[in-house]
Amino acid sequence: MSDLNNITSNFYKKISSVKSKEDLQSLKTEFFGKSGEVTSQFKSLGTISEDKRKEFASSLNKLKDELTNELEKKFIELEKIEINEKLKGEKVDVTLPIRPYQKGKIHPVSQVIDEISSIFSEIGFSIAEGPDVETEYNNFTALNTPDNHPARDMHDTFYLEENKKILLRTHTSPVQIRTMLNEKPPYKIIVPGRTYRCDSDQTHAPMFHQLEGLHVDKDITMSHLKGCLDYFIKEFFEVKNVKMRFRPSHFPFTEPSAEVDIGYTIENDKIVIGEGDKWLEILGCGMVHPNVLKNVKVDPTKYQGFAFGMGIDRLAMLKYGINDLRAFFESDYRWLNHFGFDPLDVPTNYKGLSK
Ligand code: DAH
Protein backbone atom coordinates (compact mmCIF):
# COMPACT_ATOMS: atom_id res chain seq x y z
CA MET A 1 0.00 0.00 0.00
CA SER A 2 2.77 2.42 0.85
CA ASP A 3 4.04 1.82 -2.68
CA LEU A 4 0.77 3.13 -4.02
CA ASN A 5 0.93 6.19 -1.77
CA ASN A 6 4.43 6.89 -3.02
CA ILE A 7 3.32 6.56 -6.61
CA THR A 8 0.45 8.96 -6.00
CA SER A 9 2.49 11.64 -4.29
CA ASN A 10 5.26 11.27 -6.86
CA PHE A 11 2.70 11.64 -9.65
CA TYR A 12 1.17 14.82 -8.17
CA LYS A 13 4.58 16.34 -7.64
CA LYS A 14 5.51 15.73 -11.24
CA ILE A 15 2.24 16.74 -12.87
CA SER A 16 2.28 20.09 -11.06
CA SER A 17 5.43 21.07 -12.96
CA VAL A 18 4.21 19.87 -16.38
CA LYS A 19 4.21 22.82 -18.83
CA SER A 20 3.65 21.27 -22.23
CA LYS A 21 1.80 18.48 -23.99
CA GLU A 22 5.15 16.75 -24.60
CA ASP A 23 5.94 16.76 -20.85
CA LEU A 24 2.49 15.38 -20.22
CA GLN A 25 3.03 12.57 -22.72
CA SER A 26 6.33 11.56 -21.01
CA LEU A 27 4.63 11.60 -17.64
CA LYS A 28 1.91 9.36 -19.00
CA THR A 29 4.53 6.93 -20.29
CA GLU A 30 6.40 7.05 -16.99
CA PHE A 31 3.34 5.82 -15.11
CA PHE A 32 1.25 3.96 -17.68
CA GLY A 33 3.77 2.89 -20.34
CA LYS A 34 4.85 -0.75 -20.80
CA SER A 35 7.19 -0.63 -17.81
CA GLY A 36 5.51 2.36 -16.19
CA GLU A 37 5.08 2.55 -12.44
CA VAL A 38 1.36 1.81 -12.40
CA THR A 39 1.70 -0.88 -15.07
CA SER A 40 4.35 -2.65 -12.95
CA GLN A 41 2.00 -2.70 -10.00
CA PHE A 42 -0.63 -4.42 -12.13
CA LYS A 43 2.02 -6.92 -13.23
CA SER A 44 2.90 -7.64 -9.59
CA LEU A 45 -0.68 -8.63 -8.71
CA GLY A 46 0.10 -12.31 -9.25
CA THR A 47 2.83 -12.29 -6.63
CA ILE A 48 0.55 -10.99 -3.88
CA SER A 49 -1.04 -13.44 -1.45
CA GLU A 50 -4.64 -14.23 -2.28
CA ASP A 51 -6.18 -12.63 0.84
CA LYS A 52 -4.59 -9.25 0.11
CA ARG A 53 -4.87 -9.35 -3.66
CA LYS A 54 -8.50 -8.27 -3.93
CA GLU A 55 -8.06 -5.20 -1.76
CA PHE A 56 -4.82 -4.25 -3.46
CA ALA A 57 -6.35 -4.66 -6.92
CA SER A 58 -9.27 -2.44 -5.99
CA SER A 59 -6.94 0.27 -4.61
CA LEU A 60 -4.81 -0.02 -7.70
CA ASN A 61 -7.81 0.42 -9.99
CA LYS A 62 -8.92 3.46 -8.03
CA LEU A 63 -5.44 4.90 -8.31
CA LYS A 64 -5.41 4.25 -12.03
CA ASP A 65 -8.77 6.04 -12.49
CA GLU A 66 -7.67 8.96 -10.36
CA LEU A 67 -4.37 9.46 -12.19
CA THR A 68 -5.89 9.03 -15.65
CA ASN A 69 -8.46 11.62 -14.73
CA GLU A 70 -5.72 14.02 -13.64
CA LEU A 71 -3.86 13.46 -16.92
CA GLU A 72 -6.99 14.32 -18.90
CA LYS A 73 -7.67 17.43 -16.83
CA LYS A 74 -4.12 18.59 -17.38
CA PHE A 75 -4.42 17.98 -21.11
CA ILE A 76 -7.51 20.21 -21.36
CA GLU A 77 -5.79 22.87 -19.29
CA LEU A 78 -2.74 22.86 -21.56
CA GLU A 79 -4.95 22.99 -24.64
CA LYS A 80 -6.70 26.10 -23.32
CA ILE A 81 -3.39 27.82 -22.62
CA GLU A 82 -2.21 26.97 -26.14
CA ILE A 83 -5.37 28.44 -27.77
CA ASN A 84 -5.17 31.59 -25.66
CA GLU A 85 -1.54 32.09 -26.63
CA LYS A 86 -2.48 31.71 -30.28
CA LEU A 87 -5.37 34.16 -30.00
CA LYS A 88 -3.10 36.69 -28.33
CA GLY A 89 -0.86 36.59 -31.40
CA GLU A 90 -3.82 37.09 -33.74
CA LYS A 91 -5.35 39.99 -31.88
CA VAL A 92 -6.39 42.94 -34.07
CA ASP A 93 -5.61 46.31 -32.66
CA VAL A 94 -8.68 48.33 -33.61
CA THR A 95 -7.08 51.51 -32.35
CA LEU A 96 -4.41 51.42 -35.09
CA PRO A 97 -4.85 54.12 -37.76
CA ILE A 98 -6.36 52.84 -41.07
CA ARG A 99 -4.09 52.08 -44.01
CA PRO A 100 -3.83 54.88 -46.58
CA TYR A 101 -6.39 54.53 -49.38
CA GLN A 102 -5.09 52.47 -52.30
CA LYS A 103 -4.30 54.65 -55.26
CA GLY A 104 -4.86 52.04 -58.02
CA LYS A 105 -7.46 52.76 -60.71
CA ILE A 106 -9.62 50.54 -62.87
CA HIS A 107 -8.64 50.71 -66.55
CA PRO A 108 -11.39 52.19 -68.78
CA VAL A 109 -11.55 48.92 -70.76
CA SER A 110 -12.20 46.91 -67.57
CA GLN A 111 -14.74 49.49 -66.49
CA VAL A 112 -16.57 49.29 -69.81
CA ILE A 113 -16.55 45.46 -69.70
CA ASP A 114 -18.13 45.64 -66.22
CA GLU A 115 -20.73 48.12 -67.45
CA ILE A 116 -21.59 46.00 -70.50
CA SER A 117 -21.82 42.83 -68.39
CA SER A 118 -24.18 44.57 -65.99
CA ILE A 119 -26.40 45.87 -68.81
CA PHE A 120 -26.73 42.52 -70.58
CA SER A 121 -27.16 40.49 -67.40
CA GLU A 122 -30.28 42.58 -66.70
CA ILE A 123 -31.94 41.02 -69.75
CA GLY A 124 -30.81 37.47 -69.14
CA PHE A 125 -27.49 37.15 -70.96
CA SER A 126 -24.70 35.24 -69.28
CA ILE A 127 -21.00 35.73 -69.86
CA ALA A 128 -18.94 33.21 -71.85
CA GLU A 129 -15.21 33.16 -72.42
CA GLY A 130 -12.74 31.44 -74.71
CA PRO A 131 -8.97 31.28 -75.16
CA ASP A 132 -6.92 33.88 -77.06
CA VAL A 133 -5.09 31.11 -78.90
CA GLU A 134 -7.65 29.51 -81.20
CA THR A 135 -7.86 26.90 -83.90
CA GLU A 136 -8.25 28.04 -87.46
CA TYR A 137 -11.38 25.87 -87.53
CA ASN A 138 -13.20 27.73 -84.71
CA ASN A 139 -12.03 31.16 -85.83
CA PHE A 140 -12.96 30.73 -89.49
CA THR A 141 -14.17 27.41 -90.90
CA ALA A 142 -16.94 26.66 -88.39
CA LEU A 143 -18.08 30.28 -88.78
CA ASN A 144 -18.84 29.59 -92.43
CA THR A 145 -15.58 31.18 -93.60
CA PRO A 146 -13.89 28.38 -95.56
CA ASP A 147 -10.33 28.43 -96.94
CA ASN A 148 -9.82 31.07 -99.62
CA HIS A 149 -12.85 33.04 -98.46
CA PRO A 150 -12.00 36.73 -99.00
CA ALA A 151 -13.09 37.59 -95.43
CA ARG A 152 -10.01 35.73 -94.15
CA ASP A 153 -7.68 38.23 -95.82
CA MET A 154 -9.45 41.15 -94.18
CA HIS A 155 -8.60 39.85 -90.73
CA ASP A 156 -4.77 40.28 -90.90
CA THR A 157 -4.34 37.14 -88.86
CA PHE A 158 -1.40 36.34 -86.59
CA TYR A 159 -0.77 32.66 -87.30
CA LEU A 160 1.18 30.75 -84.68
CA GLU A 161 2.15 27.79 -86.86
CA GLU A 162 3.36 27.55 -90.39
CA ASN A 163 0.50 25.27 -91.41
CA LYS A 164 -1.90 28.03 -90.25
CA LYS A 165 -3.91 25.71 -88.02
CA ILE A 166 -3.36 27.67 -84.78
CA LEU A 167 -3.75 31.44 -84.52
CA LEU A 168 -4.48 34.35 -82.20
CA ARG A 169 -8.23 34.79 -82.48
CA THR A 170 -9.10 37.69 -84.79
CA HIS A 171 -12.54 38.16 -83.22
CA THR A 172 -14.63 36.86 -80.31
CA SER A 173 -16.96 35.00 -82.68
CA PRO A 174 -15.21 31.59 -82.18
CA VAL A 175 -16.68 31.58 -78.66
CA GLN A 176 -20.08 31.20 -80.37
CA ILE A 177 -18.80 27.89 -81.74
CA ARG A 178 -17.27 26.76 -78.43
CA THR A 179 -20.45 27.56 -76.52
CA MET A 180 -22.80 25.90 -78.97
CA LEU A 181 -20.63 22.77 -79.21
CA ASN A 182 -20.48 22.40 -75.43
CA GLU A 183 -24.05 23.16 -74.44
CA LYS A 184 -27.57 22.50 -75.62
CA PRO A 185 -29.73 25.35 -77.05
CA PRO A 186 -31.10 27.88 -76.21
CA TYR A 187 -28.02 30.14 -76.00
CA LYS A 188 -28.00 33.66 -74.64
CA ILE A 189 -24.46 34.86 -74.10
CA ILE A 190 -22.16 37.81 -74.38
CA VAL A 191 -18.41 37.34 -74.80
CA PRO A 192 -16.08 40.16 -73.84
CA GLY A 193 -12.43 39.45 -74.63
CA ARG A 194 -9.10 40.14 -76.25
CA THR A 195 -8.68 39.85 -79.99
CA TYR A 196 -5.66 40.27 -82.28
CA ARG A 197 -4.95 41.59 -85.76
CA CYS A 198 -1.74 42.66 -87.42
CA ASP A 199 -2.64 46.35 -87.58
CA SER A 200 -1.58 49.50 -85.68
CA ASP A 201 -2.42 53.22 -85.96
CA GLN A 202 -4.38 55.84 -84.03
CA THR A 203 -7.57 53.79 -84.15
CA HIS A 204 -6.15 50.25 -84.47
CA ALA A 205 -4.01 48.24 -82.05
CA PRO A 206 -2.63 44.73 -82.67
CA MET A 207 -4.43 43.64 -79.51
CA PHE A 208 -7.88 45.06 -78.92
CA HIS A 209 -11.14 44.06 -77.25
CA GLN A 210 -14.41 42.87 -78.69
CA LEU A 211 -17.82 42.06 -77.39
CA GLU A 212 -19.73 39.26 -79.02
CA GLY A 213 -23.42 38.59 -78.46
CA LEU A 214 -25.41 35.49 -79.36
CA HIS A 215 -29.04 34.65 -78.74
CA VAL A 216 -30.35 31.44 -80.28
CA ASP A 217 -33.77 30.03 -79.45
CA LYS A 218 -36.89 28.77 -81.22
CA ASP A 219 -38.56 32.06 -82.16
CA ILE A 220 -35.83 34.65 -82.34
CA THR A 221 -36.21 37.27 -85.07
CA MET A 222 -34.42 40.34 -86.33
CA SER A 223 -36.77 42.53 -84.28
CA HIS A 224 -35.38 40.95 -81.09
CA LEU A 225 -31.94 41.94 -82.32
CA LYS A 226 -33.07 45.52 -82.86
CA GLY A 227 -34.78 45.69 -79.46
CA CYS A 228 -31.73 44.27 -77.72
CA LEU A 229 -29.30 46.71 -79.35
CA ASP A 230 -31.59 49.68 -78.80
CA TYR A 231 -31.77 48.81 -75.10
CA PHE A 232 -28.01 48.32 -74.88
CA ILE A 233 -27.03 51.58 -76.61
CA LYS A 234 -29.39 53.63 -74.46
CA GLU A 235 -28.21 52.05 -71.23
CA PHE A 236 -24.56 52.21 -72.16
CA PHE A 237 -24.51 55.85 -73.24
CA GLU A 238 -27.03 56.73 -70.51
CA VAL A 239 -29.36 58.59 -72.90
CA LYS A 240 -33.13 58.38 -73.37
CA ASN A 241 -33.21 58.39 -77.18
CA VAL A 242 -30.89 56.91 -79.72
CA LYS A 243 -31.25 57.18 -83.47
CA MET A 244 -30.14 53.88 -84.94
CA ARG A 245 -29.84 52.73 -88.53
CA PHE A 246 -29.22 49.26 -89.90
CA ARG A 247 -27.19 49.20 -93.12
CA PRO A 248 -27.11 45.99 -95.17
CA SER A 249 -23.67 44.40 -94.94
CA HIS A 250 -21.97 41.05 -95.24
CA PHE A 251 -20.47 38.67 -92.69
CA PRO A 252 -19.98 35.00 -93.56
CA PHE A 253 -21.55 33.84 -90.27
CA THR A 254 -24.79 35.84 -90.50
CA GLU A 255 -27.55 36.07 -93.07
CA PRO A 256 -28.91 38.67 -93.42
CA SER A 257 -26.12 40.86 -92.03
CA ALA A 258 -26.10 44.50 -91.06
CA GLU A 259 -23.89 47.20 -89.72
CA VAL A 260 -25.39 49.51 -87.15
CA ASP A 261 -24.83 53.26 -87.02
CA ILE A 262 -25.95 55.55 -84.23
CA GLY A 263 -26.74 59.24 -84.49
CA TYR A 264 -24.56 61.90 -82.88
CA THR A 265 -23.74 65.59 -82.88
CA ILE A 266 -20.77 67.60 -81.76
CA GLU A 267 -21.45 70.05 -78.94
CA ASN A 268 -18.64 72.19 -77.53
CA ASP A 269 -16.06 69.97 -79.23
CA LYS A 270 -17.55 66.88 -77.65
CA ILE A 271 -19.39 63.97 -79.23
CA VAL A 272 -22.96 63.68 -77.96
CA ILE A 273 -24.45 60.28 -78.71
CA GLY A 274 -28.12 59.83 -79.49
CA GLU A 275 -29.55 62.39 -81.84
CA GLY A 276 -28.20 64.68 -84.51
CA ASP A 277 -27.52 64.41 -88.19
CA LYS A 278 -24.20 62.56 -88.14
CA TRP A 279 -23.77 58.77 -88.14
CA LEU A 280 -21.22 56.64 -86.34
CA GLU A 281 -20.72 52.98 -87.15
CA ILE A 282 -20.54 50.93 -83.97
CA LEU A 283 -21.19 47.27 -84.65
CA GLY A 284 -21.82 44.36 -86.99
CA CYS A 285 -24.68 41.96 -86.57
CA GLY A 286 -27.17 39.65 -88.24
CA MET A 287 -29.15 36.43 -88.02
CA VAL A 288 -26.93 33.40 -87.38
CA HIS A 289 -26.21 31.65 -90.70
CA PRO A 290 -27.84 28.18 -90.93
CA ASN A 291 -24.43 26.74 -91.89
CA VAL A 292 -23.00 27.88 -88.55
CA LEU A 293 -25.82 26.13 -86.70
CA LYS A 294 -25.27 22.97 -88.77
CA ASN A 295 -21.55 23.05 -87.92
CA VAL A 296 -22.38 22.88 -84.22
CA LYS A 297 -25.11 20.24 -84.67
CA VAL A 298 -28.00 22.59 -83.93
CA ASP A 299 -30.99 22.07 -86.24
CA PRO A 300 -31.55 25.34 -88.19
CA THR A 301 -35.14 24.34 -88.99
CA LYS A 302 -35.91 24.40 -85.26
CA TYR A 303 -33.56 27.07 -83.94
CA GLN A 304 -32.53 30.49 -85.11
CA GLY A 305 -30.96 33.51 -83.55
CA PHE A 306 -29.04 36.71 -83.82
CA ALA A 307 -25.42 37.60 -83.22
CA PHE A 308 -23.50 40.82 -82.98
CA GLY A 309 -19.94 41.97 -82.50
CA MET A 310 -18.48 45.32 -81.50
CA GLY A 311 -15.22 46.92 -80.47
CA ILE A 312 -15.06 47.56 -76.73
CA ASP A 313 -12.11 49.97 -76.90
CA ARG A 314 -14.00 52.14 -79.34
CA LEU A 315 -17.03 52.18 -77.06
CA ALA A 316 -14.79 53.27 -74.18
CA MET A 317 -13.22 56.01 -76.32
CA LEU A 318 -16.65 57.33 -77.31
CA LYS A 319 -18.14 57.24 -73.86
CA TYR A 320 -15.20 58.70 -71.99
CA GLY A 321 -13.82 61.08 -74.61
CA ILE A 322 -10.48 59.33 -75.17
CA ASN A 323 -9.05 60.01 -78.61
CA ASP A 324 -6.00 57.80 -79.05
CA LEU A 325 -6.49 54.04 -78.80
CA ARG A 326 -2.75 53.37 -78.38
CA ALA A 327 -2.72 55.08 -74.96
CA PHE A 328 -4.95 52.25 -73.69
CA PHE A 329 -2.08 49.82 -73.82
CA GLU A 330 0.91 51.96 -72.84
CA SER A 331 0.53 51.52 -69.05
CA ASP A 332 1.21 55.21 -68.44
CA TYR A 333 0.36 55.80 -64.80
CA ARG A 334 -0.60 59.47 -65.38
CA TRP A 335 -3.02 58.46 -68.14
CA LEU A 336 -4.54 55.73 -66.01
CA ASN A 337 -4.88 58.09 -63.08
CA HIS A 338 -6.77 60.53 -65.29
CA PHE A 339 -9.03 58.13 -67.18
CA GLY A 340 -9.23 55.29 -64.64
CA PHE A 341 -12.09 54.51 -62.25
CA ASP A 342 -12.47 54.04 -58.52
CA PRO A 343 -11.91 50.32 -57.79
CA LEU A 344 -14.57 50.27 -55.08
CA ASP A 345 -17.23 51.80 -57.27
CA VAL A 346 -18.45 48.78 -59.22
CA PRO A 347 -20.92 49.73 -61.97
CA THR A 348 -24.49 48.52 -61.65
CA ASN A 349 -27.63 49.41 -63.56
CA TYR A 350 -29.48 50.49 -60.42
CA LYS A 351 -26.89 52.93 -59.22
CA GLY A 352 -26.01 54.27 -62.65
CA LEU A 353 -23.07 53.01 -64.61
CA SER A 354 -20.50 55.75 -64.68
CA LYS A 355 -21.48 58.15 -61.92
N1 DAH B 1 -16.67 39.10 -85.92
C1 DAH B 1 -16.92 40.32 -86.63
C2 DAH B 1 -15.64 41.11 -86.80
O1 DAH B 1 -14.74 40.95 -86.00
C3 DAH B 1 -17.96 41.14 -85.93
C4 DAH B 1 -19.32 40.53 -85.98
C5 DAH B 1 -20.19 40.87 -86.99
C6 DAH B 1 -19.70 39.59 -85.06
C7 DAH B 1 -21.43 40.29 -87.10
C8 DAH B 1 -20.95 39.00 -85.15
C9 DAH B 1 -21.81 39.37 -86.18
O2 DAH B 1 -21.39 38.08 -84.28
O3 DAH B 1 -23.02 38.81 -86.24
O4 DAH B 1 -15.53 41.90 -87.67
Side-chain angles (χ1 to χ4, degrees), residues 155 170-171 173 176 197 210 212-213 251 253-254 284-286 307-309:
H155 276 214
T170 58
H171 50 178
S173 308
Q176 289 190 23
R197 287 184 205 177
Q210 277 197 345
E212 191 78 14
F251 298 104
F253 30 88
T254 43
C285 61
F308 57 84

Side-chain angles (χ1 to χ4, degrees), residues 195-208 325-326 329:
T195 44
Y196 304 82
R197 287 184 205 177
C198 189
D199 203 354
S200 181
D201 60 35
Q202 192 175 347
T203 52
H204 295 92
M207 190 280 293
F208 56 106
L325 176 67
R326 286 167 298 193
F329 311 118

Side-chain angles (χ1 to χ4, degrees), residues 29 31-37 39-40 43:
T29 316
F31 286 83
F32 292 99
K34 251 191 189 163
S35 43
E37 299 209 29
T39 318
S40 323
K43 280 185 189 157

